[in-house]
Amino acid sequence: MFKKSPISFSDGATNWVFILVVLVVAGVVGLLVSQRAREPEVAIPAAVSVTSQTAWLGLSTEKSEYQVDELIRVSVTLDLGVKRAAGVDVALTYDPKVLALQSKEGGNALQGRLDPKRYLSTAASVFETFPHLSADVRSGAVFFSALAKPREEVTGKHLVAELTFKALKPGTATLAFDFTPSSTRDSNVAYLGQDILGRVSAVNVKIR
């Protein structure tokens, strides 16, 4: 919490200056209120729903069924509704017994921090910079960040990035976001220093 500094007045002259400032401010506020009262009410379109006030992150794949050893391309999509964003943090979870994160050159990902250029497909992304990527291949977790161009904000619905996984054995593979509302330690969408992410959606694929 920010603490307000105490205000002290050393003499009567200072008190009069303070009172004069208060009167001037009160007059300006009164003028603005009277002008506002004469302005017509602006109706909010009914089409704008509550859910459009928060951002959404979703996952998708090219198809719903794959064969063992087949590569699965997973797209991360951001829908901002009426919001804007300067960057996102994407935290994904998966079953490491069923899926293995792959590099663009092929081969399973290593534990720890990774080179985003080797693991993220970003040619169609609306974001410009991907400063961080890390993976916990033992527990099945991937985390990466994406930033917009300096002094520019992202709007609308766009692709964030694509990742590739290899199907290891038959079963159902679920990829999901690590997300808790109001938490800043998981998936986030940043705007003006706040996390505006309100919804996420997972994806399931069958491996035969």
Side-chain angles (χ1 to χ4, degrees):
M1 297 291 292
F2 293 101
K3 295 183 179 179
K4 294 183 179 180
S5 301
I7 300 176
S8 62
F9 302 103
S10 58
D11 52 35
T14 304
N15 280 324
W16 280 110
V17 171
F18 175 75
I19 293 172
L20 180 60
V21 170
V22 170
L23 291 175
V24 171
V25 171
V28 172
V29 171
L31 179 61
L32 291 176
V33 170
S34 63
Q35 290 179 344
R36 178 62 179 171
R38 294 194 297 269
E39 294 178 355
E41 292 292 332
V42 179
I44 300 176
V48 178
S49 63
V50 175
T51 55
S52 68
Q53 304 302 315
T54 58
W56 167 85
L57 279 173
L59 298 173
S60 62
T61 54
E62 296 172 322
K63 53 186 181 179
S64 59
E65 294 188 4
Y66 293 84
Q67 301 294 321
V68 173
D69 292 332
E70 193 173 357
L71 297 180
I72 304 171
R73 292 177 63 86
V74 179
S75 298
V76 181
T77 304
L78 170 66
D79 190 343
L80 287 162
V82 298
K83 294 290 188 177
R84 298 173 179 270
V88 299
D89 289 332
V90 177
L92 300 179
T93 61
Y94 64 95
D95 186 347
K97 297 179 180 179
V98 182
L99 299 175
L101 179 65
Q102 301 287 289
S103 68
K104 293 180 180 179
E105 300 85 3
N108 296 346
L110 300 176
Q111 182 79 7
R113 187 158 184 170
L114 306 172
D115 182 359
K117 294 181 180 179
R118 293 187 58 203
Y119 291 87
L120 297 177
S121 296
T122 62
S125 175
V126 70
F127 292 96
E128 181 181 54
T129 307
F130 296 81
H132 179 84
L133 170 67
S134 60
D136 186 339
V137 297
R138 290 189 289 265
S139 65
V142 182
F143 178 89
F144 71 89
S145 299
L147 300 176
K149 294 180 180 179
R151 296 182 296 278
E152 291 188 16
E153 298 167 343
V154 175
T155 60
K157 183 176 181 179
H158 302 279
L159 175 72
V160 177
E162 291 181 334
L163 301 95
T164 301
F165 293 83
K166 185 177 182 180
L168 300 179
K169 67 177 185 179
T172 299
T174 299
L175 293 108
F177 291 98
D178 179 8
F179 170 66
T180 301
S182 301
S183 173
T184 58
R185 297 179 178 272
D186 52 12
S187 299
N188 296 283
V189 177
Y191 179 61
L192 295 179
Q194 295 183 342
D195 179 14
I196 61 172
L197 180 60
R199 297 179 297 141
V200 297
S201 63
V203 65
N204 298 318
V205 295
K206 291 183 178 180
I207 301 173
R208 300 186 181 278

